[in-house]
mmCIF file of all heavy atoms in Angstrom:
data_model
loop_
_atom_site.group_PDB
_atom_site.id
_atom_site.type_symbol
_atom_site.label_atom_id
_atom_site.label_comp_id
_atom_site.label_asym_id
_atom_site.label_seq_id
_atom_site.Cartn_x
_atom_site.Cartn_y
_atom_site.Cartn_z
ATOM 1 N N LYS A 47 -0.496 -10.443 12.029
ATOM 2 C CA LYS A 47 0.393 -11.571 11.694
ATOM 3 C C LYS A 47 0.433 -11.775 10.182
ATOM 4 O O LYS A 47 1.528 -11.926 9.616
ATOM 5 C CB LYS A 47 -0.084 -12.825 12.418
ATOM 6 C CG LYS A 47 0.747 -14.069 12.170
ATOM 7 C CD LYS A 47 0.182 -15.284 12.819
ATOM 8 C CE LYS A 47 -0.832 -15.841 11.867
ATOM 9 N NZ LYS A 47 -1.421 -17.092 12.094
ATOM 10 N N ASN A 48 -0.742 -11.764 9.555
ATOM 11 C CA ASN A 48 -0.800 -12.001 8.091
ATOM 12 C C ASN A 48 -0.127 -10.898 7.304
ATOM 13 O O ASN A 48 0.630 -11.127 6.336
ATOM 14 C CB ASN A 48 -2.241 -12.153 7.660
ATOM 15 C CG ASN A 48 -2.905 -13.400 8.179
ATOM 16 O OD1 ASN A 48 -2.208 -14.337 8.606
ATOM 17 N ND2 ASN A 48 -4.202 -13.454 8.139
ATOM 18 N N ILE A 49 -0.353 -9.635 7.708
ATOM 19 C CA ILE A 49 0.277 -8.510 6.981
ATOM 20 C C ILE A 49 1.798 -8.527 7.196
ATOM 21 O O ILE A 49 2.537 -8.265 6.255
ATOM 22 C CB ILE A 49 -0.364 -7.191 7.394
ATOM 23 C CG1 ILE A 49 -1.793 -7.120 6.800
ATOM 24 C CG2 ILE A 49 0.468 -5.992 6.932
ATOM 25 C CD1 ILE A 49 -2.644 -5.960 7.291
ATOM 26 N N LYS A 50 2.243 -8.811 8.376
ATOM 27 C CA LYS A 50 3.703 -8.894 8.612
ATOM 28 C C LYS A 50 4.326 -10.034 7.790
ATOM 29 O O LYS A 50 5.414 -9.867 7.251
ATOM 30 C CB LYS A 50 3.959 -9.122 10.085
ATOM 31 C CG LYS A 50 3.739 -7.870 10.943
ATOM 32 C CD LYS A 50 3.906 -8.134 12.408
ATOM 33 C CE LYS A 50 3.571 -6.865 13.217
ATOM 34 N NZ LYS A 50 3.651 -7.075 14.684
ATOM 35 N N LYS A 51 3.589 -11.100 7.597
ATOM 36 C CA LYS A 51 4.094 -12.190 6.730
ATOM 37 C C LYS A 51 4.127 -11.737 5.276
ATOM 38 O O LYS A 51 5.086 -12.044 4.552
ATOM 39 C CB LYS A 51 3.245 -13.448 6.894
ATOM 40 C CG LYS A 51 3.744 -14.601 6.084
ATOM 41 C CD LYS A 51 2.967 -15.852 6.337
ATOM 42 C CE LYS A 51 3.442 -17.069 5.587
ATOM 43 N NZ LYS A 51 4.313 -16.972 4.461
ATOM 44 N N ILE A 52 3.098 -11.057 4.836
ATOM 45 C CA ILE A 52 3.060 -10.517 3.470
ATOM 46 C C ILE A 52 4.293 -9.613 3.211
ATOM 47 O O ILE A 52 4.987 -9.751 2.229
ATOM 48 C CB ILE A 52 1.754 -9.737 3.214
ATOM 49 C CG1 ILE A 52 0.552 -10.666 3.197
ATOM 50 C CG2 ILE A 52 1.861 -8.901 1.946
ATOM 51 C CD1 ILE A 52 -0.776 -9.940 3.232
ATOM 52 N N ILE A 53 4.559 -8.760 4.202
ATOM 53 C CA ILE A 53 5.697 -7.858 4.070
ATOM 54 C C ILE A 53 7.022 -8.640 4.028
ATOM 55 O O ILE A 53 7.905 -8.381 3.183
ATOM 56 C CB ILE A 53 5.710 -6.809 5.207
ATOM 57 C CG1 ILE A 53 4.505 -5.858 5.063
ATOM 58 C CG2 ILE A 53 7.033 -6.036 5.269
ATOM 59 C CD1 ILE A 53 4.280 -4.993 6.275
ATOM 60 N N LYS A 54 7.163 -9.596 4.916
ATOM 61 C CA LYS A 54 8.402 -10.387 5.030
ATOM 62 C C LYS A 54 8.635 -11.186 3.739
ATOM 63 O O LYS A 54 9.777 -11.286 3.294
ATOM 64 C CB LYS A 54 8.313 -11.336 6.216
ATOM 65 C CG LYS A 54 9.523 -12.218 6.428
ATOM 66 C CD LYS A 54 9.289 -13.093 7.634
ATOM 67 C CE LYS A 54 10.423 -14.075 7.812
ATOM 68 N NZ LYS A 54 10.292 -15.305 7.063
ATOM 69 N N ASP A 55 7.583 -11.723 3.199
ATOM 70 C CA ASP A 55 7.732 -12.573 1.990
ATOM 71 C C ASP A 55 7.821 -11.805 0.683
ATOM 72 O O ASP A 55 8.126 -12.405 -0.351
ATOM 73 C CB ASP A 55 6.522 -13.548 1.909
ATOM 74 C CG ASP A 55 6.530 -14.578 2.988
ATOM 75 O OD1 ASP A 55 7.506 -14.735 3.730
ATOM 76 O OD2 ASP A 55 5.458 -15.240 3.206
ATOM 77 N N SER A 56 7.568 -10.534 0.702
ATOM 78 C CA SER A 56 7.550 -9.741 -0.498
ATOM 79 C C SER A 56 8.933 -9.120 -0.816
ATOM 80 O O SER A 56 9.713 -8.820 0.076
ATOM 81 C CB SER A 56 6.524 -8.594 -0.374
ATOM 82 O OG SER A 56 6.517 -7.825 -1.539
ATOM 83 N N LYS A 57 9.175 -8.889 -2.094
ATOM 84 C CA LYS A 57 10.371 -8.200 -2.531
ATOM 85 C C LYS A 57 10.116 -6.701 -2.679
ATOM 86 O O LYS A 57 11.042 -5.969 -2.984
ATOM 87 C CB LYS A 57 10.880 -8.793 -3.830
ATOM 88 C CG LYS A 57 9.879 -8.806 -4.965
ATOM 89 C CD LYS A 57 10.374 -9.617 -6.136
ATOM 90 C CE LYS A 57 9.268 -9.848 -7.122
ATOM 91 N NZ LYS A 57 9.651 -10.738 -8.190
ATOM 92 N N LEU A 58 8.876 -6.273 -2.367
ATOM 93 C CA LEU A 58 8.534 -4.857 -2.476
ATOM 94 C C LEU A 58 8.848 -4.091 -1.206
ATOM 95 O O LEU A 58 9.045 -4.698 -0.126
ATOM 96 C CB LEU A 58 7.051 -4.719 -2.788
ATOM 97 C CG LEU A 58 6.562 -5.408 -4.079
ATOM 98 C CD1 LEU A 58 5.043 -5.288 -4.181
ATOM 99 C CD2 LEU A 58 7.204 -4.752 -5.275
ATOM 100 N N ASN A 59 8.855 -2.793 -1.306
ATOM 101 C CA ASN A 59 9.065 -1.919 -0.168
ATOM 102 C C ASN A 59 7.713 -1.576 0.434
ATOM 103 O O ASN A 59 6.961 -0.767 -0.087
ATOM 104 C CB ASN A 59 9.768 -0.624 -0.673
ATOM 105 C CG ASN A 59 10.202 0.227 0.448
ATOM 106 O OD1 ASN A 59 9.817 0.059 1.578
ATOM 107 N ND2 ASN A 59 11.019 1.249 0.145
ATOM 108 N N ILE A 60 7.361 -2.292 1.499
ATOM 109 C CA ILE A 60 6.016 -2.208 2.109
ATOM 110 C C ILE A 60 6.135 -1.810 3.579
ATOM 111 O O ILE A 60 6.974 -2.363 4.311
ATOM 112 C CB ILE A 60 5.297 -3.557 2.032
ATOM 113 C CG1 ILE A 60 5.240 -4.087 0.608
ATOM 114 C CG2 ILE A 60 3.875 -3.417 2.567
ATOM 115 C CD1 ILE A 60 4.766 -5.519 0.510
ATOM 116 N N GLU A 61 5.269 -0.910 3.978
ATOM 117 C CA GLU A 61 5.132 -0.575 5.399
ATOM 118 C C GLU A 61 3.670 -0.640 5.768
ATOM 119 O O GLU A 61 2.813 -0.413 4.903
ATOM 120 C CB GLU A 61 5.704 0.808 5.652
ATOM 121 C CG GLU A 61 7.188 0.870 5.344
ATOM 122 C CD GLU A 61 7.819 2.178 5.770
ATOM 123 O OE1 GLU A 61 7.517 2.667 6.875
ATOM 124 O OE2 GLU A 61 8.672 2.682 5.015
ATOM 125 N N ALA A 62 3.439 -0.968 7.026
ATOM 126 C CA ALA A 62 2.033 -1.083 7.503
ATOM 127 C C ALA A 62 1.888 -0.294 8.775
ATOM 128 O O ALA A 62 2.766 -0.201 9.569
ATOM 129 C CB ALA A 62 1.675 -2.529 7.708
ATOM 130 N N LYS A 63 0.671 0.236 8.921
ATOM 131 C CA LYS A 63 0.281 0.885 10.169
ATOM 132 C C LYS A 63 -0.950 0.139 10.686
ATOM 133 O O LYS A 63 -1.926 -0.041 9.927
ATOM 134 C CB LYS A 63 -0.015 2.359 9.919
ATOM 135 C CG LYS A 63 -0.463 3.150 11.095
ATOM 136 C CD LYS A 63 0.666 3.426 12.023
ATOM 137 C CE LYS A 63 0.184 4.327 13.150
ATOM 138 N NZ LYS A 63 0.687 3.961 14.435
ATOM 139 N N PHE A 64 -0.907 -0.251 11.915
ATOM 140 C CA PHE A 64 -1.973 -1.043 12.491
ATOM 141 C C PHE A 64 -2.817 -0.162 13.426
ATOM 142 O O PHE A 64 -2.295 0.341 14.409
ATOM 143 C CB PHE A 64 -1.398 -2.262 13.263
ATOM 144 C CG PHE A 64 -0.580 -3.135 12.365
ATOM 145 C CD1 PHE A 64 0.800 -3.088 12.431
ATOM 146 C CD2 PHE A 64 -1.172 -4.013 11.506
ATOM 147 C CE1 PHE A 64 1.594 -3.894 11.606
ATOM 148 C CE2 PHE A 64 -0.443 -4.824 10.643
ATOM 149 C CZ PHE A 64 0.969 -4.751 10.693
ATOM 150 N N PHE A 65 -4.067 0.029 13.041
ATOM 151 C CA PHE A 65 -4.967 0.872 13.811
ATOM 152 C C PHE A 65 -5.899 0.015 14.674
ATOM 153 O O PHE A 65 -6.525 -0.924 14.134
ATOM 154 C CB PHE A 65 -5.827 1.750 12.881
ATOM 155 C CG PHE A 65 -5.030 2.723 12.070
ATOM 156 C CD1 PHE A 65 -5.054 2.682 10.674
ATOM 157 C CD2 PHE A 65 -4.206 3.695 12.667
ATOM 158 C CE1 PHE A 65 -4.343 3.596 9.919
ATOM 159 C CE2 PHE A 65 -3.491 4.615 11.911
ATOM 160 C CZ PHE A 65 -3.542 4.551 10.528
ATOM 161 N N GLU A 66 -5.996 0.300 15.964
ATOM 162 C CA GLU A 66 -6.870 -0.432 16.835
ATOM 163 C C GLU A 66 -8.317 -0.245 16.505
ATOM 164 O O GLU A 66 -9.117 -1.150 16.715
ATOM 165 C CB GLU A 66 -6.600 -0.038 18.295
ATOM 166 C CG GLU A 66 -5.288 -0.527 18.819
ATOM 167 C CD GLU A 66 -5.100 -0.124 20.276
ATOM 168 O OE1 GLU A 66 -6.036 0.308 20.934
ATOM 169 O OE2 GLU A 66 -3.959 -0.260 20.756
ATOM 170 N N LYS A 67 -8.660 0.928 15.999
ATOM 171 C CA LYS A 67 -10.075 1.170 15.649
ATOM 172 C C LYS A 67 -10.231 1.249 14.122
ATOM 173 O O LYS A 67 -9.240 1.308 13.409
ATOM 174 C CB LYS A 67 -10.611 2.414 16.353
ATOM 175 C CG LYS A 67 -9.947 3.702 15.915
ATOM 176 C CD LYS A 67 -10.505 4.877 16.717
ATOM 177 C CE LYS A 67 -11.331 5.766 15.829
ATOM 178 N NZ LYS A 67 -11.914 6.884 16.487
ATOM 179 N N ASN A 68 -11.446 1.294 13.706
ATOM 180 C CA ASN A 68 -11.728 1.422 12.250
ATOM 181 C C ASN A 68 -11.895 2.894 11.950
ATOM 182 O O ASN A 68 -12.851 3.532 12.316
ATOM 183 C CB ASN A 68 -13.041 0.652 11.923
ATOM 184 C CG ASN A 68 -13.350 0.730 10.447
ATOM 185 O OD1 ASN A 68 -12.580 1.259 9.656
ATOM 186 N ND2 ASN A 68 -14.481 0.189 10.078
ATOM 187 N N TYR A 69 -10.939 3.436 11.231
ATOM 188 C CA TYR A 69 -10.976 4.848 10.828
ATOM 189 C C TYR A 69 -11.745 4.980 9.498
ATOM 190 O O TYR A 69 -11.891 6.079 8.997
ATOM 191 C CB TYR A 69 -9.574 5.433 10.664
ATOM 192 C CG TYR A 69 -8.934 5.710 12.015
ATOM 193 C CD1 TYR A 69 -7.948 4.883 12.489
ATOM 194 C CD2 TYR A 69 -9.331 6.806 12.748
ATOM 195 C CE1 TYR A 69 -7.357 5.156 13.710
ATOM 196 C CE2 TYR A 69 -8.747 7.062 13.980
ATOM 197 C CZ TYR A 69 -7.768 6.235 14.442
ATOM 198 O OH TYR A 69 -7.178 6.526 15.654
ATOM 199 N N PHE A 70 -12.146 3.874 8.915
ATOM 200 C CA PHE A 70 -12.809 3.854 7.612
ATOM 201 C C PHE A 70 -11.799 4.198 6.534
ATOM 202 O O PHE A 70 -10.631 4.452 6.797
ATOM 203 C CB PHE A 70 -14.087 4.730 7.591
ATOM 204 C CG PHE A 70 -15.090 4.240 8.619
ATOM 205 C CD1 PHE A 70 -15.169 4.799 9.873
ATOM 206 C CD2 PHE A 70 -15.946 3.179 8.320
ATOM 207 C CE1 PHE A 70 -16.056 4.355 10.811
ATOM 208 C CE2 PHE A 70 -16.830 2.712 9.270
ATOM 209 C CZ PHE A 70 -16.912 3.325 10.520
ATOM 210 N N TYR A 71 -12.238 4.234 5.316
ATOM 211 C CA TYR A 71 -11.348 4.225 4.151
ATOM 212 C C TYR A 71 -10.493 5.519 4.063
ATOM 213 O O TYR A 71 -9.279 5.494 4.215
ATOM 214 C CB TYR A 71 -12.178 4.002 2.896
ATOM 215 C CG TYR A 71 -11.345 3.826 1.659
ATOM 216 C CD1 TYR A 71 -10.783 2.572 1.342
ATOM 217 C CD2 TYR A 71 -11.107 4.896 0.804
ATOM 218 C CE1 TYR A 71 -10.023 2.424 0.206
ATOM 219 C CE2 TYR A 71 -10.340 4.710 -0.338
ATOM 220 C CZ TYR A 71 -9.815 3.478 -0.656
ATOM 221 O OH TYR A 71 -9.071 3.330 -1.764
#
Side-chain angles (χ1 to χ4, degrees):
K47 181 184 85 171
N48 291 343
I49 289 172
K50 287 175 182 176
K51 183 175 181 344
I52 291 167
I53 293 169
K54 181 179 174 275
D55 292 347
S56 178
K57 56 189 169 187
L58 300 175
N59 189 347
I60 307 170
E61 297 189 41
K63 179 75 175 137
F64 301 102
F65 298 120
E66 290 182 11
K67 66 183 249 179
N68 182 4
Y69 285 105
F70 299 95
Y71 188 82

